[in-house]
């Protein structure tokens, strides 16, 4: 899209975010109402809470809490893969309207200590998911292991063999490789069948390894990789490939947790999500692919109804002077100190070319 043809406003369906961390307690109360602020009304909510959402009733109760905080949002509920997630529990979850199961390899990110060490012991569970038309969401990294030559820079690429094995074993099971960060992951997903898709975050479309090294508010897992990897992510969204879509992996942490001795992994984009993506898509000259990436592609893969003219919409306004807020205050009634917790968003204080 040439710069001379860029409109002053763009009206689109409400976006769908197919990977978002909405947390618990005061942080949940703070960030969940921000979902609509970022232009989103469909959210796949992550289950890596403390304790994780390992049972159907736990996910249902969590969804009820989220719904009270954001009544207009459709929350897609997930379960955390664990040894208690039997085929019987999968049937129960499907009947309760739970859509997906999330896989965290052990120790790879926040609250993943309960995660998977051996995928094959879960094959009966995956078979039940395939039977009940559920989605398997993969945090696609191998745990770091110096003896095996695995670190955070190659952990995603080393995981791709597992993705191929799972797809071969369960060809009708819908699988999402989440938050891809490498050219290898893009190429792998493109090479597989129509039941394998991939989410891409807003922040991984912007940054490389140099942007998070020494900048804790850009540090997440999987980490952003090399410029060639970012270029591959940008090119696949620019192409409009139908099996690549938005999953923000927005993951808020209090400022002190991000700026401490060992920064927590997570980037917070929820309240500015669609303007961030629109700003990047304008830079890539592909605003015509924006609706597919933030709405159509993901909804089709998750078998959700498409959104038409009769549905509510959002309007983006071209506004070169709008800046991302420096921080957001965490609404915590239990905090009696003079300094309330804050959470710092991605690209804080930066100006975006689009706003809602």
């Amino acid at each position: 899209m040439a710069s001379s043809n860029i409109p002053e406003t763009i009206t689109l369906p409400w976006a769908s975010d197919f990977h978002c961390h909405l947390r618990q307690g005061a942080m949940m109360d703070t960030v969940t109402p921000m979902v609509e602020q970022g232009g989103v009304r469909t959210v796949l909510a992550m289950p890596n809470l403390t304790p994780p959402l390992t049972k159907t009733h736990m996910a249902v109760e969590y969804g009820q809490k989220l719904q009270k905080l954001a009544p207009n949002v459709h929350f897609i509920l997930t379960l955390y893969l664990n040894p208690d997630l039997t085929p019987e529990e999968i049937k129960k979850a499907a009947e309760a309207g739970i859509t997906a199961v999330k896989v965290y390899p052990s120790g790879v990110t926040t609250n993943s200590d309960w995660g998977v060490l051996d995928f094959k012991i879960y094959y009966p569970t995956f078979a039940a998911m395939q039977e009940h038309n559920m989605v398997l969401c993969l945090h696609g990294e191998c745990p770091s292991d110096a003896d095996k030559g695995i670190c955070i820079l190659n952990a995603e690429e080393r995981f791709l063999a597992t993705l191929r094995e799972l797809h071969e074993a369960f060809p009708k099971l819908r699988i999402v490789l989440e938050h891809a960060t490498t050219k290898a992951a893009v190429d792998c997903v493109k090479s597989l069948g129509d039941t394998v898709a991939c989410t891409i975050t807003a922040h991984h479309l912007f940054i490389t390894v140099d942007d998070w090294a020494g900048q804790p508010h850009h540090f997440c897992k999987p980490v952003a990789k090399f410029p060639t990897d970012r270029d591959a992510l940008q090119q696949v969204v620019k192409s409009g490939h139908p099996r690549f879509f938005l999953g923000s992996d927005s993951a808020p942490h209090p400022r002190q947790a991000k700026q401490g001795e060992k920064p927590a992994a997570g980037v917070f984009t929820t309240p500015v999500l669609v303007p961030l993506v629109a700003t990047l898509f304008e830079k890539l000259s592909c605003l015509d692919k924006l609706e597919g990436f933030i709405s159509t592609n993901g909804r089709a893969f998750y078998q959700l109804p498409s959104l038409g003219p009769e549905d509510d919409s959002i309007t983006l306004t071209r506004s070169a002077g709008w800046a991302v807020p420096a921080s957001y205050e965490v609404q915590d009634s239990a905090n009696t100190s003079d300094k309330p917790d804050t959470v710092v968003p991605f690209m804080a204080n930066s100006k975006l070319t689009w706003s809602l």
Side-chain angles (χ1 to χ4, degrees), residues 50-61:
T50 304
L53 304 179
T54 57
K55 295 286 188 181
T56 298
H57 72 90
M58 298 171 72
V60 170
E61 289 167 7

Side-chain angles (χ1 to χ4, degrees), residues 17-335:
D17 179 0
F18 289 98
H19 182 146
C20 188
H21 297 270
L22 296 169
R23 304 303 195 206
Q24 297 162 274
M27 187 65 80
M28 176 186 72
D29 294 345
T30 299
V31 303
T32 304
M34 294 181 182
V35 168
E36 284 187 275
Q37 185 178 332
V40 172
R41 272 198 181 165
T42 298
V43 172
L44 188 139
M46 288 292 105
N48 59 329
L49 309 181
T50 304
L53 304 179
T54 57
K55 295 286 188 181
T56 298
H57 72 90
M58 298 171 72
V60 170
E61 289 167 7
Y62 184 57
Q64 291 169 348
K65 291 178 182 178
L66 297 176
Q67 204 69 68
K68 288 180 181 179
L69 292 166
N72 295 326
V73 175
H74 173 214
F75 292 99
I76 302 171
L77 302 179
T78 61
L79 288 174
Y80 189 115
L81 186 66
N82 72 99
D84 292 333
L85 197 52
T86 61
E88 292 75 23
E89 188 68 22
I90 288 295
K91 181 177 184 293
K92 184 177 178 182
E95 291 172 349
I98 294 171
T99 299
V101 171
K102 178 63 182 277
V103 175
Y104 293 95
S106 183
V108 295
T109 191
T110 302
N111 291 347
S112 62
D113 295 339
W114 302 272
V116 175
L117 292 171
D118 179 3
F119 278 82
K120 289 192 176 179
I121 68 171
Y122 292 103
Y123 273 27
T125 299
F126 299 153
M129 290 179 62
Q130 183 172 251
E131 178 185 351
H132 292 286
N133 196 30
M134 294 182 74
V135 179
L136 180 66
C137 299
L138 298 174
H139 182 118
E141 290 187 290
C142 292
S144 292
D145 187 330
D147 292 337
K148 296 179 181 178
I150 302 173
C151 68
I152 59 174
L153 291 177
N154 66 7
E156 180 174 280
E157 189 165 357
R158 294 286 287 269
F159 181 83
L160 297 176
T162 299
L163 171 61
R164 293 187 184 95
E165 290 172 5
L166 289 170
H167 179 49
E168 183 177 358
F170 303 99
K172 295 181 180 180
L173 175 63
R174 286 180 291 155
I175 301 174
V176 179
L177 179 67
E178 297 193 307
H179 44 49
T181 63
T182 60
K183 181 179 185 300
V186 170
D187 291 343
C188 179
V189 171
K190 289 168 69 174
S191 75
L192 299 177
D194 289 343
T195 54
V196 179
C198 182
T199 59
I200 297 177
T201 75
H203 52 280
H204 285 129
L205 288 168
F206 279 91
I207 65 175
T208 66
V209 60
D210 286 343
D211 297 301
W212 61 260
Q215 212 307 19
H217 296 291
H218 289 175
F219 172 63
C220 59
K221 290 206 178 163
V223 298
K225 305 300 193 303
F226 302 106
T228 52
D229 294 306
R230 181 188 59 186
D231 291 347
L233 299 179
Q234 292 181 350
Q235 288 305 309
V236 78
V237 301
K238 187 175 180 178
S239 76
H241 195 295
R243 288 188 284 118
F244 291 78
F245 45 85
L246 178 63
S248 71
D249 193 19
S250 181
H253 293 278
R255 182 192 294 266
Q256 65 268 25
K258 291 293 291 178
Q259 297 179 183
E261 193 171 293
K262 187 177 181 180
V267 170
F268 180 51
T269 55
T270 293
V272 294
L273 185 56
V274 172
L276 274 174
V277 177
T279 295
L280 189 280
F281 273 47
E282 180 183 333
K283 184 179 178 181
L284 297 178
S285 300
C286 63
L287 280 170
D288 57 316
K289 301 297 193 298
L290 181 60
E291 181 174 341
F293 182 67
I294 68 170
S295 179
T296 310
N297 296 352
R299 295 185 71 86
F301 188 82
Y302 272 87
Q303 300 176 0
L304 297 175
S306 58
L307 299 177
E310 69 280 5
D311 296 294
D312 287 343
S313 58
I314 55 173
T315 298
L316 286 156
T317 302
R318 204 154 187 270
S319 177
W322 187 74
V324 177
S327 65
Y328 295 87
E329 183 177 323
V330 178
Q331 305 300 315
D332 186 359
S333 59
N335 185 353

